[in-house]
Amino acid sequence: GTKIAAVPRVAVVVFLLRGKAVLLGRRRSSVGDSTFALPGGHLEFGESFEECAVRELKEETGLDIDKKKMELLTVTNNVFSEQPKPSHYVTVFMRGVLADGDDQLPQNLEPTKCDGWDWYDWANLPEPLFWPLEKMVKSGFNPFPNSPQE
Ligand code: 8DG
Ligand code: MG
Ligand code: MG
């Protein structure tokens, strides 16, 4: 077949915070199938990190984020060399909260890519976590404001 140049791609994902909980969904994907991951996806040409986070969250969950309260938390380098199709992501992790309070309900708008979204207490995260997220949690990373690790 045709050879396609393998290049690193940029992903933007969101720690959407509600109280002590974050929004996670179980992936349906060749990368990290069945693991719990944050909402997010590929940065499109010309987009800001904030625009990408707002768009991906809306596409995947229907939720509206408060644009003024979005913050960049960290960036990690993730090489998925074990996958059938190797991939490499530079992943940008944003923090956000819902617009207009906490009463919006997440919808599973891409059911072929995700089993469904739910809120999980940071102190009681589901398993298995998607590897890039698990790596951060194990290193002591905490996405909440005023946490010791921040
Ligand atoms: P798109 O077509 O909507 O742009 O892409 P997507 O289908 O939403 O892509 P994705 O797999 O959800 O996200 C792109 C990549 O981001 C994923 O293959 C690996 C990287 N990534 C991480 N950590 C996380 C995470 O916690 N959640 C998500 N969704 N992606 C993550 O490194
Ligand atoms: Mg997406
Ligand atoms: Mg996605």
Side-chain angles (χ1 to χ4, degrees):
T2 313
K3 253 200 182 163
I4 298 170
V7 295
R9 301 187 71 186
V10 180
V12 176
V13 301
V14 189
F15 285 101
L16 186 66
L17 308 182
R18 194 189 74 168
K20 291 175 175 166
V22 297
L23 189 76
L24 297 173
R26 204 192 267 267
R27 287 172 70 79
R28 283 283 162 247
S29 169
S30 56
V31 183
D33 193 44
S34 290
T35 62
F36 288 89
L38 302 165
H42 300 93
L43 184 69
E44 291 183 356
F45 189 89
E47 248 181 354
S48 69
F49 297 154
E50 287 80 7
E51 287 165 344
C52 181
V54 167
R55 178 183 55 73
E56 284 289 341
L57 197 76
K58 187 75 178 172
E59 286 174 1
E60 298 183 351
T61 70
L63 296 170
D64 290 309
I65 206 165
D66 186 338
K67 287 177 196 166
K68 290 171 301 224
K69 290 187 185 160
M70 293 213 74
E71 290 165 87
L72 171 68
L73 290 182
T74 190
V75 176
T76 67
N77 190 42
N78 302 294
V79 180
F80 301 91
S81 46
E82 305 297 305
Q83 305 294 326
K85 205 170 116 197
S87 59
H88 179 177
Y89 284 95
V90 173
T91 309
V92 176
F93 291 83
M94 307 294 289
R95 166 164 73 206
V97 293
L98 289 170
D100 314 317
D102 283 347
D103 36 346
Q104 296 180 59
L105 292 176
Q107 300 164 261
N108 191 19
L109 297 182
E110 295 180 340
T112 60
K113 291 186 178 182
C114 179
D115 278 350
W117 299 103
D118 214 338
W119 300 100
Y120 295 90
D121 266 9
W122 188 255
N124 194 13
L125 291 171
E127 287 176 8
L129 291 174
F130 189 28
W131 164 73
L133 186 57
E134 176 172 80
K135 200 170 58 168
M136 291 166 81
V137 172
K138 283 200 170 143
S139 78
F141 179 83
N142 186 315
F144 289 84
N146 310 315
S147 61
Q149 292 85 3
E150 209 196 10

